[in-house]
């Protein structure tokens, strides 16, 4: 039998890198600073409002615009992401090798803006590992045309509209697509639309998650069926062998595993983050 997956759909922040890097904390602080400096809320109010808007609208930006604040998305992202300490994100050679061993389509699906997504992927060394990026601009193409803040509601995960749009622009079959995200609500939304789901950063599955993994670097061990291939009338699975898995995981790992046999050469794609193809579709 072939692999059950034709496509892997990855969230970005806190999914492709650990949640304890400091980026998430930086985003939270910058959002509060934005509310204080740009919207003139008190520090106490900014802290509580940020949480309230996120719970109700999915993001602070979405909430502010819904409430009538004429906030430009580019200005907001420039403030909130422009001050982040991106140098805390280090290249992940192990993850790069793993992703490039996967022959199926690989797509980024993030609520973040395109500039932020590119910076993160470049810091990780993964800028040429994905076929497509679905980001804030993809989900909100009409926002720059708005004449009033509430004319076009901001669309983001975990809304059904965001999930449907992602499936539409990526043209994937949700039944054969594995969706990775660290957010339980996003996973539940994806499951509702028929996606196979993997909760990242956890060891225990929720009822909407088909898999749960502590880190995407553990895919070989946790979801080996990604690499199942049909060749010459027989099924070839990942057999766990030390020598080839070390090539994916990196020399620092000394694991007793059988050989990974994956057909075909890895081909570096001109799509994804290359300038010859759209960064965000």
């Amino acid at each position: 039998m072939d692999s059950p997956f034709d496509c892997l759909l990855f969230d970005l922040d806190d999914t492709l890198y650990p949640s304890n890097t400091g980026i998430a904390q930086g985003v939270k602080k910058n959002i509060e600073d934005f509310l204080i400096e740009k919207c003139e809320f008190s520090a106490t109010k900014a802290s509580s409002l940020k949480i309230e808007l996120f719970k109700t609208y999915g993001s602070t930006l979405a909430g502010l615009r819904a409430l009538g604040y004429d906030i430009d998305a580019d200005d907001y992202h420039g403030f909130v992401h422009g001050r982040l300490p991106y140098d805390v994100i280090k290249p992940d050679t192990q993850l790069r090798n793993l992703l490039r061993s996967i022959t199926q389509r690989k797509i980024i699906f993030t609520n973040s803006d395109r500039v932020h997504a590119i910076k993160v992927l470049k810091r990780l060394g993964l800028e040429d590992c994905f076929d497509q990026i679905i980001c804030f601009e993809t989900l909100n193409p009409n926002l720059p045309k708005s004449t009033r803040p509430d004319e076009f509601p901001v669309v983001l995960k975990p809304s059904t509209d965001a999930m449907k749009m992602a499936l539409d622009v990526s043209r994937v079959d949700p039944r054969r697509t594995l969706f990775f995200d660290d957010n339980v609500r996003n996973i539940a939304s994806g499951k509702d639309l028929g996606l196979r789901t993997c909760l990242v950063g956890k060891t225990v599955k929720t009822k909407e998650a088909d898999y749960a993994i502590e880190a995407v670097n553990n895919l070989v061990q946790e979801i080996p069926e990604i690499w199942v291939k049909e060749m010459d009338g027989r099924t070839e699975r990942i057999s766990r062998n030390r020598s080839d898995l070390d090539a994916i995981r990196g020399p620092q790992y000394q694991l007793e595993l059988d050989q990974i046999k994956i057909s075909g050469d890895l081909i570096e794609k001109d799509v994804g983050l290359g300038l010859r193809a759209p960064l965000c579709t």
Side-chain angles (χ1 to χ4, degrees):
M1 59 181 290
D2 289 338
S3 169
F5 309 118
D6 294 331
C7 180
L8 277 63
L9 192 63
F10 291 90
D11 176 47
L12 179 66
D13 296 298
D14 295 345
T15 294
L16 292 186
Y17 62 86
S19 60
N20 61 0
T21 57
I23 293 295
Q25 292 81 355
V27 168
K28 291 175 182 178
K29 180 183 184 304
N30 292 345
I31 290 174
E32 290 185 14
D33 288 346
F34 184 90
L35 292 171
I36 294 168
E37 295 179 29
K38 302 296 183 179
C39 302
E40 300 183 345
F41 290 104
S42 68
T44 302
K45 180 62 176 177
S47 180
S48 61
L49 183 62
K50 176 195 64 173
I51 297 171
E52 180 182 338
L53 293 178
F54 178 79
K55 288 181 177 179
T56 305
Y57 298 97
S59 80
T60 303
L61 173 62
L64 288 173
R65 290 185 62 87
L67 294 175
Y69 288 86
D70 191 10
I71 306 297
D72 179 82
D74 289 339
D75 291 343
Y76 176 83
H77 290 132
F79 188 104
V80 171
H81 292 151
R83 302 180 176 190
L84 290 176
Y86 286 103
D87 59 335
V88 301
I89 301 176
K90 305 301 180 184
D92 193 336
T93 303
Q94 175 197 340
L95 181 55
R96 175 180 173 81
N97 291 339
L98 186 150
L99 289 171
R100 286 177 62 79
S101 76
I102 297 171
T103 58
Q104 294 96 322
R105 288 179 67 200
K106 297 176 289 294
I107 299 173
I108 292 291
F109 179 24
T110 176
N111 281 342
S112 296
D113 61 290
R114 177 173 58 188
V115 171
H116 172 76
I118 294 169
K119 285 183 179 179
V120 170
L121 290 173
K122 284 186 174 180
R123 289 295 307 175
L124 288 167
L126 306 179
E127 64 266 31
D128 58 350
C129 291
F130 295 93
D131 301 283
Q132 188 176 6
I133 298 176
I134 299 169
C135 56
F136 181 89
E137 290 85 348
T138 315
L139 302 174
N140 298 276
N142 294 319
L143 208 59
K145 307 172 188 176
S146 62
T147 57
R148 64 179 191 275
D150 61 348
E151 182 176 1
F152 298 110
V154 174
V155 177
L156 298 170
K157 295 182 289 183
S159 75
T160 300
D161 287 343
M163 303 302 299
K164 286 181 177 178
M165 191 173 296
L167 294 177
D168 183 54
V169 300
S170 61
R171 298 182 180 181
V172 299
D173 180 351
R175 297 166 300 178
R176 294 188 59 83
T177 300
L178 183 54
F179 173 45
F180 297 86
D181 205 297
D182 65 292
N183 185 288
V184 173
R185 292 172 64 197
N186 295 346
I187 288 292
S189 182
K191 192 65 175 178
D192 285 343
L193 291 181
L195 287 163
R196 302 292 299 280
T197 54
C198 180
L199 183 61
V200 179
K202 304 290 190 296
T203 56
V204 179
K205 296 189 297 183
T206 61
K207 66 178 181 179
E208 296 88 359
D210 297 299
Y211 305 92
I213 57 175
E214 284 192 273
V216 291
N217 303 63
N218 299 339
L219 281 180
V220 173
Q221 300 96 309
E222 301 295 337
I223 317 179
E225 52 266 40
I226 290 172
W227 286 268
V228 175
K229 293 292 178 183
E230 183 76 22
M231 292 183 60
D232 300 327
R234 73 182 188 280
T235 299
E236 292 200 0
R237 294 180 177 271
I238 293 184
S239 53
R240 301 191 166 185
N241 180 315
R242 175 176 188 166
S243 61
D244 280 354
L245 190 56
D246 280 354
I248 290 179
R249 299 209 56 179
Q252 72 272 31
Y253 291 89
Q254 301 299 317
L255 302 174
E256 298 296 335
L257 299 167
D258 293 340
Q259 183 176 12
I260 298 171
K261 190 171 184 181
I262 301 172
S263 64
D265 295 327
L266 294 175
I267 300 174
E268 186 167 344
K269 300 178 180 66
D270 284 338
V271 295
L273 294 183
L275 296 179
R276 292 178 288 274
L279 291 169
C280 214
T281 55

